[in-house]
Amino acid sequence: MRYVLEEMGTTLKAARERQGLSQRELADAAGTDQARISKIESGDIDLRLSSLMDLTRTLGLELVLADRRHLPAIEAILKERASDADPRQKSRVIRRIGENLQNLQRAHPDDRQLKQAMSALAVLNMARLTEAELALLEEASARLNNAKPEALDELRPRLETLIRLRNAKAHGAPDAPGQQPAYTLDDDDE
């Protein structure tokens, strides 16, 4: 039973921290005191169901009873969602990249790869990104930040990163192991 309490406490603490709340702020919002929140997060208190529901709803969470047979699917969905990048951080990075690409495009208005990168950025802005994908964008952003127009050739790998990431989001991961194309355009399969 202690393990269940500790796991629940850890989950509640992570939710509180994601929301940027201190224990005291959560306690005030939930109508309890900071010491009780501390004990709950460390697994030292076995909460009544009504108290747990109040606390989770204060954190924007919902308790749901689910058939155990469905737990693997639920856990897979939660794991996928947990790896999503922070949308505010994504917006900041994409805005920074966009500003830098526009500066480069002013100096190179006919550059095809720059146009593709701008188009890719628009798609990525609407896509759900993982933390790993956001890290790729942040790296590209750092390289593109205040880039001089004459350094375009050195920046081409970063532009290619944007285009490939867009393609992966739009079409799925290319060349995944075990995948075969549904058809080919070559006639030499006869």
Side-chain angles (χ1 to χ4, degrees), residues 62-75 77-78:
E62 192 65 39
L63 282 176
V64 176
L65 297 177
D67 188 321
R68 283 185 186 199
R69 294 174 296 175
H70 302 301
L71 282 180
I74 293 168
E75 288 172 346
I77 291 168
L78 293 174

Side-chain angles (χ1 to χ4, degrees), residues 62-158:
E62 192 65 39
L63 282 176
V64 176
L65 297 177
D67 188 321
R68 283 185 186 199
R69 294 174 296 175
H70 302 301
L71 282 180
I74 293 168
E75 288 172 346
I77 291 168
L78 293 174
K79 184 177 180 182
E80 179 184 315
R81 294 292 298 167
S83 69
D84 281 355
D86 176 15
R88 292 174 301 214
Q89 179 65 13
K90 179 186 101 170
S91 293
R92 283 191 294 270
V93 171
I94 287 179
R95 185 176 54 249
R96 249 189 340 254
I97 292 172
E99 290 167 357
N100 286 305
L101 289 180
Q102 285 176 348
N103 290 337
L104 289 170
Q105 209 167 27
R106 280 191 208 82
H108 304 281
D110 297 324
D111 191 272
R112 187 176 69 83
Q113 193 178 30
L114 265 175
K115 289 178 184 178
Q116 288 177 330
M118 288 295 287
S119 173
L121 205 58
V123 171
L124 292 172
N125 193 36
M126 294 182 289
R128 277 181 35 197
L129 299 180
T130 65
E131 291 178 9
E133 291 165 337
L134 181 60
L136 284 174
L137 286 181
E138 287 173 332
E139 181 184 331
S141 175
R143 300 287 174 111
L144 292 167
N145 195 27
N146 298 320
K148 299 198 181 335
E150 57 272 10
L152 181 61
D153 287 336
E154 297 169 21
L155 301 171
R156 291 204 184 276
R158 302 302 156 236

